[in-house]
Amino acid sequence: MIKKLSNLARISLSPEEESDLKKDIEKVLDYVNSLKEANISSKQQDYFQSELSNIFRQDVVVEFDDKDAIIKSFNDKEERFLKVKAIL
Amino acid sequence: MTIKELSRGLSNGDFSSLDLTNYFLNKEDDVSAYISKLKKSALEQAKEADERIKSGERGELLGIPMAVKDNIMIKGVKCTSASLALKDYIPPYDATVIKKLKEAGVVFLGKTNLDEFAMGSSTESSYFGVTLNPCDKTRVPGGSSGGSAAAVASGLTVSALGSDTGGSIRQPAAFCGVVGLKPTYGSVSRYGLAAMASSLDQIGVISKNVEDAEIVFKSIFGRDVMDSTSADYSFKDIDVNKSELKIGIPKEYFVDGMDQAMKEEIEQAIKDLNVDVVEISLPHTKYALSAYYIITSSEVSSNMGKYDGLRYGFSDNSAKDLIDSYFKNRGGGFGKEVKRRIILGTHTLSAGYKDAYYQKALEVRHLIRQDFLDAFKSVDLIITPVSPSFPFKIGEKITDPLEMYLLDIFTVTINLAGLPALSMPCSKVNNLPVGIQIIGKHFEEAKILSAAKQFEKIWK
């Protein structure tokens, strides 16, 4: 299970980390499984969904005033381009 | 001295902001509260503030030094989130709260220590080492804003910003014997706060007394176009009549398993208030920790996806290709607890499990919120303990993550419900502070602050 999850999360784990995580996570999942007992009526479900509403703003483009600072942080760059390892 | 007293001194010309700033910067940090002190910029800010004061300008925070938790961005200043992943990261922008405080004339002394990416309750998971509790240096200061709480408690600063997702302002404030305010979700902009769990995070303040917390809060709240979850909120001062207050004490918060001495101190402190107290029930409290850790881990796993080590942050150049870069940069940069929560959250959001875990947790969250709203129909404020235990010894709980998670039992419900809460010291046992929590309805910070100021005088 941990291997599949670390793949999805794109995080490399040592075998020791994997086995530690397996123990920790099983313990936590065991605890949070108590949620199964909680009873939610469908009426409450509807109410919950209707409480939320989106907040919008005008779709106006604003220039960021310090692009150099962003580029400075790139780990690998060529001119003003971010350089990464081979994708294919 | 408090912010109010320092402000008076500055207005009267008893001392300058430069004097104050030098005093705080030169004080020895024997509890490792700071990750970095900002000597050069602080002195410049102090000189600027002194000019403004000399020209006749007045303001409650003008020239006042503050410390900032190292997950809140100050432009051009290293912001590490106490992680190897961001060890040398320099943000290109100010957090909105920083922008507001700069306008008010605050002097930023330094960035304080925290649990890595704010994930923890003891500040022991910081990449930069543990912060000590000024009340007892063999014990933890609490977390995740342990550095901010320790800095205020040991007099390294008069006030500090922190962040609270499940208790990270309130619990360290309680452990260090100072005041911590976690405002209503949406009252303070999260723009410029390294996101942990976006539906729970809030920036707040740690201070020596309630009045100072109020002064800082008034300078940082407000709608921000850069944070779509921030609310259009206007703060109105009120004067609460203590004799008219009705306080709710939830029976689910005074359980076996909490430290007996702590329980007795809290019960006595409530008696000493001489207010109208009524027992209430928040029946879904028992599901809160589970809902909290599922929601938090899920949101964490999503928020932490942005750290790829390419545009900034830790990178391992031995990677063979792009995908390998992600694995190595993330695997190499994140600490144990961070990895734990990302993996847990990846699981709770994954196909086949999302309904059982994340969806269910959201529904339970709604029930918990409803418990509070129902209770507030008949009470003005709710009072509870902050922590089930006194500050523990360094190293005592770090090896058992579940045991560490259980410490959040009294604080996570508040974040889940989005309510405001203030933690303040009410007594001491063997020199260790006892923190008590005052909870209010959404956007009723004014009521909490007014009542807390009166309680403070009784508990002194």
Side-chain angles (χ1 to χ4, degrees):
Chain A
M1 171 178 92
I2 302 293
K3 228 184 183 86
K4 170 173 159 243
L5 295 173
S6 69
N7 258 337
L8 284 172
R10 300 287 191 254
I11 295 184
S12 70
L13 297 172
S14 70
E16 196 193 330
E17 281 176 318
E18 267 183 44
S19 72
D20 282 347
L21 273 172
K22 183 166 190 284
K23 269 193 239 114
D24 293 338
I25 291 191
E26 279 171 357
K27 219 174 168 184
V28 176
L29 285 179
D30 194 38
Y31 178 81
V32 302
N33 271 323
S34 69
L35 272 195
K36 286 203 197 101
E37 305 159 15
N39 239 322
I40 325 283
S41 76
S42 57
K43 187 169 114 192
Q44 285 169 323
Q45 270 183 9
D46 292 334
Y47 175 67
F48 171 55
Q49 307 293 23
S50 71
E51 264 187 6
L52 306 171
S53 63
N54 276 321
I55 296 174
F56 296 100
R57 63 174 172 81
Q58 287 303 310
D59 187 13
V60 172
V61 174
V62 177
E63 283 281 311
F64 184 71
D65 62 358
D66 198 352
K67 293 181 192 159
D68 288 337
I70 296 178
I71 294 171
K72 198 159 179 220
S73 292
F74 290 171
N75 271 308
D76 200 1
K77 52 182 165 275
E78 207 168 274
E79 295 169 41
R80 288 175 84 76
F81 293 96
L82 170 66
K83 195 167 164 191
V84 303
K85 303 266 179 195
I87 294 173
L88 297 170
Chain B
M1 287 183 99
T2 64
I3 293 178
K4 199 110 200 205
E5 290 165 341
L6 291 180
S7 183
R8 205 177 298 134
L10 287 169
S11 304
N12 293 341
D14 299 337
F15 39 76
S16 66
S17 176
L18 194 60
D19 291 329
L20 283 184
T21 304
N22 271 316
Y23 167 76
F24 285 117
L25 285 175
N26 292 328
K27 201 152 197 248
E28 192 206 339
D29 182 6
D30 58 356
V31 290
S32 303
Y34 284 105
I35 290 179
S36 54
K37 278 193 181 173
L38 306 175
K39 191 165 183 182
K40 192 158 165 265
S41 57
L43 294 174
E44 278 166 18
Q45 287 165 350
K47 287 186 193 126
E48 254 182 67
D50 283 331
E51 290 295 312
R52 285 167 71 174
I53 296 172
K54 210 178 282 165
S55 76
E57 191 184 336
R58 291 293 177 267
E60 287 188 306
L61 289 175
L62 183 53
I64 300 291
M66 279 187 73
V68 177
K69 186 176 183 181
D70 205 17
N71 62 351
I72 297 172
M73 318 278 144
I74 300 179
K75 179 174 173 155
V77 172
K78 208 185 295 182
C79 190
T80 67
S81 283
S83 177
L84 171 60
L86 293 178
K87 185 167 77 83
D88 298 308
Y89 174 65
I90 299 182
Y93 68 101
D94 279 329
T96 297
V97 295
I98 296 296
K99 199 155 150 268
K100 288 182 176 226
L101 291 173
K102 275 184 178 174
E103 280 163 12
V106 162
V107 174
F108 296 113
L109 296 168
K111 308 304 292 300
T112 56
N113 203 14
L114 59 152
D115 276 298
E116 187 180 358
F117 281 107
M119 300 181 204
S121 311
S122 64
T123 311
E124 291 175 289
S125 68
S126 165
Y127 174 74
F128 298 100
V130 68
T131 294
L132 314 176
N133 189 326
C135 304
D136 177 338
K137 291 187 188 146
T138 65
R139 295 176 188 270
V140 300
S144 60
S145 310
S148 284
V152 174
S154 62
L156 287 162
T157 180
V158 66
S159 172
L161 290 181
S163 72
D164 189 313
T165 302
S168 290
I169 284 176
R170 293 162 285 151
Q171 186 252 42
F175 274 18
C176 293
V178 290
V179 170
L181 172 67
K182 182 209 86 74
T184 310
Y185 181 81
S187 62
V188 177
S189 169
R190 293 181 298 108
Y191 179 68
L193 167 68
M196 181 184 154
S198 306
S199 75
L200 300 165
D201 295 343
Q202 268 297 272
I203 292 176
V205 53
I206 295 176
S207 58
K208 288 196 178 146
N209 67 3
V210 179
E211 188 176 49
D212 282 0
E214 183 173 30
I215 292 172
V216 179
F217 174 67
K218 279 171 160 171
S219 290
I220 60 174
F221 78 82
R223 173 111 179 81
D224 180 20
V225 292
M226 300 305 287
D227 176 2
S228 66
T229 62
S230 69
D232 209 349
Y233 173 32
S234 53
F235 181 96
K236 278 193 204 75
D237 275 300
I238 59 168
D239 232 317
V240 151
N241 189 339
K242 186 170 81 86
S243 58
E244 288 174 5
L245 275 179
K246 207 166 193 161
I247 307 285
I249 311 292
K251 62 180 189 208
E252 292 85 1
Y253 285 61
F254 289 83
V255 292
D256 299 323
M258 77 176 281
D259 186 295
Q260 194 53 32
M262 167 86 66
K263 191 166 178 230
E264 285 167 12
E265 292 296 315
I266 302 271
E267 285 169 345
Q268 186 58 49
I270 294 171
K271 274 204 196 88
D272 292 341
L273 288 180
N274 226 342
V275 282
D276 194 1
V277 154
V278 59
E279 189 187 76
I280 59 172
S281 175
L282 300 171
H284 295 92
T285 301
K286 61 184 177 226
Y287 302 120
L289 268 174
S290 302
Y292 173 78
Y293 273 101
I294 290 173
I295 292 173
T296 299
S297 304
S298 303
E299 295 186 8
V300 156
S301 73
S302 174
N303 277 323
M304 299 305 287
K306 66 170 69 77
Y307 300 109
D308 56 14
L310 302 174
R311 292 156 296 131
Y312 52 81
F314 175 86
S315 81
D316 180 342
N317 280 313
S318 74
K320 320 182 242 87
D321 54 33
L322 183 60
I323 296 263
D324 199 30
S325 295
Y326 294 143
F327 277 99
K328 289 208 164 79
N329 293 348
R330 293 161 61 77
F334 294 146
K336 215 166 183 186
E337 182 60 32
V338 173
K339 284 185 186 173
R340 207 177 270 136
R341 298 207 194 185
I342 294 175
I343 296 293
L344 180 61
T346 305
H347 178 65
T348 53
L349 285 177
S350 62
Y353 293 100
K354 184 178 161 224
D355 285 337
Y357 288 118
Y358 185 66
Q359 193 54 44
K360 194 66 192 274
L362 289 183
E363 292 166 0
V364 168
R365 175 186 190 160
H366 178 68
L367 291 176
I368 290 169
R369 187 160 179 262
Q370 201 54 49
D371 280 357
F372 277 105
L373 292 178
D374 289 340
F376 278 122
K377 287 186 187 136
S378 56
V379 301
D380 297 295
L381 297 169
I382 294 173
I383 292 184
T384 75
V386 177
S387 167
S389 85
F390 285 93
F392 42 92
K393 297 266 184 194
I394 293 169
E396 193 183 316
K397 301 204 190 259
I398 194 74
T399 50
D400 187 343
L402 187 60
E403 213 189 311
M404 190 73 89
Y405 294 171
L406 292 175
L407 295 172
D408 294 334
I409 198 165
F410 299 137
T411 48
V412 298
T413 45
I414 277 64
N415 301 81
L416 288 171
L419 297 169
L422 179 121
S423 137
M424 58 191 290
C426 64
S427 90
K428 262 195 189 141
V429 176
N430 295 332
N431 235 15
L432 292 179
V434 175
I436 198 165
Q437 179 168 231
I438 322 279
I439 306 160
K441 247 165 85 172
H442 297 104
F443 302 109
E444 291 198 353
E445 279 81 0
K447 193 185 269 189
I448 296 176
L449 291 163
S450 170
K453 274 186 270 189
Q454 297 174 59
F455 298 167
E456 200 172 36
K457 295 198 185 101
I458 297 170
W459 289 329
K460 205 106 207 160

